[in-house]
Amino acid sequence: ALIKSGKASEWANLDSTCELADEEEEVSIEEEEAYELWNNIPDEERTLHLDEIPNPDGVMILPSHCNISEIIERNGISPCEAQMRRDPSLLSFDNVDRIDVADIHTLSWNKPVIITNAVPETISNTILDKERLRDMHGDVQVRTGNRETLIDNGFTNSKPMSLSDALLSSQNDATNSECGTIVFSPVKELPNGFKTELSPLMNAFPRE
């Protein structure tokens, strides 16, 4: 402001310092290297870069990969139970549209929807049977998260876990699934055998 007003000499006499910031440099790395770097992040550091967020009770918390038992121990109650105590009507509240897969071309994708009849129930029940998944693909490494870590780029915040451990964690959290483990690995990160197994599900939706 002093320079703009023609008082540069006054500015020069002020007790101040001027530092030259380091130039930022963009570095591109291959997907394989990025995956390796992500895989080696210590678990306790995966969400340290995130800002605190309000939980359902308005208390500011730092997102973490803690499981449901740790959340209940920390808060004395699960987030879902806290919400239901405040507003029991939420249990019957449902405003999400159901869209048949045959009408998927009519969607604008600007609001949440539930797509129905995408995969025959006999196929989905077979492929997604947890016991079968554990037996056949339990050693596959997957990306996992929860309702806290999915904010602000949940893909980067995700935590590696074997599918067997992820399913076991999810089973232990079954009574409080809103805090349970979520698996959301990109298909390209899965082994070929598992991708073949999941093909009826992957091919259920139009690619274009």
Side-chain angles (χ1 to χ4, degrees):
L2 288 171
I3 294 177
K4 287 184 177 180
S5 61
K7 299 179 181 179
S9 59
E10 292 184 27
W11 173 82
N13 292 326
L14 294 176
D15 184 15
S16 59
T17 59
C18 181
E19 296 181 0
L20 180 63
D22 294 333
E23 292 185 6
E24 293 186 1
E25 181 181 358
E26 292 186 4
V27 179
S28 297
I29 59 177
E30 299 293 332
E31 286 189 7
E32 292 79 6
E33 184 179 356
Y35 182 80
E36 189 66 25
L37 289 171
W38 163 80
N39 202 36
N40 291 327
I41 299 175
D43 288 348
E44 63 274 10
E45 296 180 10
R46 292 185 178 274
T47 56
L48 288 182
H49 62 286
L50 297 174
D51 294 328
E52 289 187 334
I53 58 173
N55 72 0
D57 292 311
V59 178
M60 300 303 290
I61 61 172
L62 185 67
S64 71
H65 281 279
C66 59
N67 58 38
I68 181 60
S69 59
E70 292 172 326
I71 293 175
I72 293 177
E73 182 178 353
R74 182 179 67 195
N75 300 330
I77 189 174
S78 80
C80 186
E81 289 174 315
Q83 285 183 306
M84 294 305 300
R85 288 185 182 181
R86 287 194 301 273
D87 188 358
S89 66
L90 290 173
L91 189 61
S92 58
F93 182 73
D94 184 357
N95 64 345
V96 181
D97 293 335
R98 270 65 171 174
I99 303 295
D100 191 279
V101 69
D103 300 320
I104 199 172
H105 62 282
T106 66
L107 292 178
S108 61
W109 302 106
N110 57 4
K111 63 179 181 179
V113 297
I114 295 176
I115 299 175
T116 61
N117 299 319
V119 180
E121 187 174 346
T122 52
I123 294 180
S124 62
N125 287 345
T126 301
I127 296 176
L128 300 180
D129 179 75
K130 291 185 177 181
E131 292 293 337
R132 185 169 179 275
L133 285 173
R134 268 198 296 266
D135 291 341
M136 298 187 63
H137 307 286
D139 59 343
V140 173
Q141 179 173 281
V142 294
R143 291 180 183 263
T144 66
N146 58 33
R147 59 181 257 158
E148 293 181 3
T149 64
L150 287 180
I151 69 164
D152 193 15
N153 196 345
F155 185 79
T156 300
N157 305 333
S158 59
K159 173 183 175 181
M161 188 182 292
S162 72
L163 181 60
S164 179
D165 287 343
L167 290 172
L168 181 61
S169 176
S170 178
Q171 179 177 328
N172 292 339
D173 294 340
T175 56
N176 292 281
S177 57
E178 87 281 4
C179 295
T181 301
I182 302 169
V183 176
F184 55 100
S185 287
V187 173
K188 62 184 178 182
E189 289 183 1
L190 301 176
N192 290 332
F194 198 11
K195 284 191 281 191
T196 301
E197 181 89 6
L198 296 175
S199 59
L201 298 178
M202 295 188 296
N203 296 332
F205 304 99
R207 300 292 181 91
E208 298 179 0

